[in-house]
Amino acid sequence: MESITDAVKKMEGYDQLRRQLDRIKQQILQDPYVASFMEANPGINEVNLEKGLTKLYEYSKERHNCDNCPGLERCPNLMQGYQPVLTADKDQIEIFYEKCFLKKQDEKQKSMTALIKSYFIPRDILQASFDRLHSIDQDRKEAIGSAAEFVKKVAAGEECKGLYFYGKFGVGKTYLLGAIANRLAERQISSLLVHTPEFLREMKNSLSDGSFNEKMELLKTVPVLMLDDIGAENMTNWVRDEIIGVILQYRMMERLPTLYTSNYDFSLLEEHFSYSQKGGLEEAKGKRIMERIRHLTVPVFIGGDKNFRSLQ
């Protein structure tokens, strides 16, 4: 009885099909990537080569897609963000996929972003980096150095004081907090960066939606808390005594670092915290809050005559 293979060979057009397949085979084998693989694996015989021809074709096509990469979002490969790798397992051709550089970078960025929680912070601040700060003028170098040293100590597991950045509007205080948050995330340390005035308004609203305790717990326990623009909030006894005071007391007891930015120096901030809705001043309560801040932070003045945004 005639075999199927022999029967196929006698079919009309078989010779033409065979010639086309041979041309495709030669094109695949002449591909530099495939040729390099075959040269490195001389044990692959003709039978295994025929069996693995479709894998070689797939590899060639996908590998050249990577050479002409249009970006992760437009990746044309079968598995977006993955590049092909050929192996010869017992001289049989196999193909598998591994994450490309762009895919790894994207996942790393998403992982870092997940480590940085924020409330009411502009997008450009959440993308801040120390690399862009090295070119900033001399007046800001001390602050940048203090920030870098803080990250170094926290990453090393050392106990260290937080930082209190103060100076006039527009000198780059908030951007510096963003750079710290991103550098900490690179070292797998989570942080929370909040715009204090807006967040405190949110805390008042959270009393009605049931999320107050959850938010308080987050601010109290996050490994690194950053309170941006403290002193710009509308001061009330409730904000001072039940929110800021409680958070700072807990963090002081647990020795969790807290960073601040403010337009006020310590003396002016103490006056702000001494405000009383009932009229007059409650100096003892203002001093109590400031004692917690002074005890666990180092004041760092950020100078500069030019607006930070004009220096970027």
Side-chain angles (χ1 to χ4, degrees):
M1 182 177 178
E2 186 178 40
S3 69
I4 294 177
T5 302
D6 292 336
V8 170
K9 289 180 179 179
K10 293 179 181 179
M11 292 176 63
E12 185 178 350
Y14 171 79
D15 290 340
Q16 182 180 356
L17 177 61
R18 182 71 256 179
R19 286 193 294 271
Q20 289 176 345
L21 290 174
D22 286 340
R23 281 197 299 271
I24 294 173
K25 177 181 177 181
Q26 291 307 311
Q27 289 175 358
I28 294 172
L29 293 176
Q30 288 171 9
D31 180 277
Y33 292 117
V34 174
S36 177
F37 170 76
M38 294 300 295
E39 184 179 348
N41 297 277
I44 298 175
N45 58 32
E46 190 65 24
V47 174
N48 287 336
L49 175 60
E50 291 288 340
K51 290 180 179 179
L53 200 58
T54 56
K55 295 173 183 176
L56 293 177
Y57 173 76
E58 178 184 329
Y59 173 79
S60 173
K61 180 175 179 292
E62 301 273 278
R63 189 64 183 79
H64 285 287
N65 284 343
C66 292
D67 286 346
N68 300 288
C69 177
L72 184 60
E73 292 184 356
R74 293 186 294 161
C75 174
N77 282 358
L78 291 172
M79 297 177 62
Q80 192 177 61
Y82 287 77
Q83 58 189 18
V85 177
L86 284 176
T87 64
D89 184 18
K90 297 180 181 178
D91 292 330
Q92 294 192 37
I93 300 170
E94 300 293 344
I95 186 172
F96 69 93
Y97 284 80
E98 64 181 13
K99 295 173 186 177
C100 70
F101 173 76
L102 292 180
K103 179 71 171 178
K104 291 177 181 177
Q105 287 293 100
D106 182 64
E107 289 185 349
K108 179 181 178 182
Q109 184 60 47
K110 288 178 179 176
S111 174
M112 287 173 54
T113 302
L115 289 169
I116 304 173
K117 298 181 179 65
S118 67
Y119 286 100
F120 310 105
I121 298 297
R123 184 185 299 272
D124 61 324
I125 298 300
L126 297 178
Q127 297 172 346
S129 72
F130 275 96
D131 293 337
R132 295 181 64 189
L133 288 168
H134 290 312
S135 61
I136 300 304
D137 58 29
Q138 184 68 35
D139 292 311
R140 297 166 173 85
K141 283 192 173 180
E142 179 187 353
I144 296 169
S146 297
E149 184 65 20
F150 171 81
V151 172
K152 181 180 178 181
K153 288 183 177 180
V154 172
E158 298 180 23
E159 187 176 305
C160 63
K161 288 188 175 183
L163 299 171
Y164 183 89
F165 297 114
Y166 68 101
K168 63 184 181 181
F169 175 80
V171 294
K173 301 185 296 294
T174 304
Y175 188 94
L176 190 52
L177 289 188
I180 293 172
N182 280 304
R183 185 62 62 84
L184 288 172
E186 290 174 4
R187 288 152 176 74
Q188 300 300 301
I189 300 169
S190 61
S191 63
L192 173 62
L193 175 53
V194 302
H195 182 246
T196 308
E198 292 291 342
F199 185 74
L200 289 172
R201 279 193 284 271
E202 174 73 13
M203 289 298 288
K204 183 177 181 180
N205 294 332
S206 70
L207 287 170
S208 59
D209 65 25
S211 64
F212 179 83
N213 289 336
E214 180 182 347
K215 289 173 181 174
M216 280 292 288
E217 189 67 15
L218 175 61
L219 267 74
K220 287 162 57 178
T221 61
V222 67
V224 179
L225 175 62
M226 305 183 194
L227 297 176
D228 180 45
D229 209 13
I230 194 168
E233 66 279 350
N234 291 323
M235 183 50 58
T236 67
N237 294 359
W238 180 76
V239 164
R240 180 191 61 206
D241 302 333
E242 302 301 327
I243 303 295
I244 296 176
V246 171
I247 290 169
L248 297 189
Q249 176 66 19
Y250 181 93
R251 297 187 67 80
M252 183 177 72
M253 297 296 293
E254 297 297 323
R255 299 187 179 277
L256 295 172
T258 306
L259 291 85
Y260 309 81
T261 70
S262 181
N263 294 336
Y264 295 161
D265 60 17
F266 279 171
S267 296
L268 288 175
L269 188 63
E270 184 172 324
E271 287 183 23
H272 173 72
F273 283 135
S274 298
Y275 168 81
S276 174
Q277 290 172 288
K278 300 175 182 179
L281 297 175
E282 295 183 326
E283 294 182 356
K285 291 187 176 181
K287 287 182 180 295
R288 188 177 301 117
I289 294 288
M290 286 308 303
E291 180 62 27
R292 294 163 184 166
I293 294 176
R294 285 191 176 96
H295 183 66
L296 288 176
T297 59
V298 176
V300 181
F301 176 70
I302 302 182
D305 295 326
K306 296 181 179 179
N307 189 291
F308 173 77
R309 292 173 180 80
S310 68
L311 298 173
Q312 296 186 73

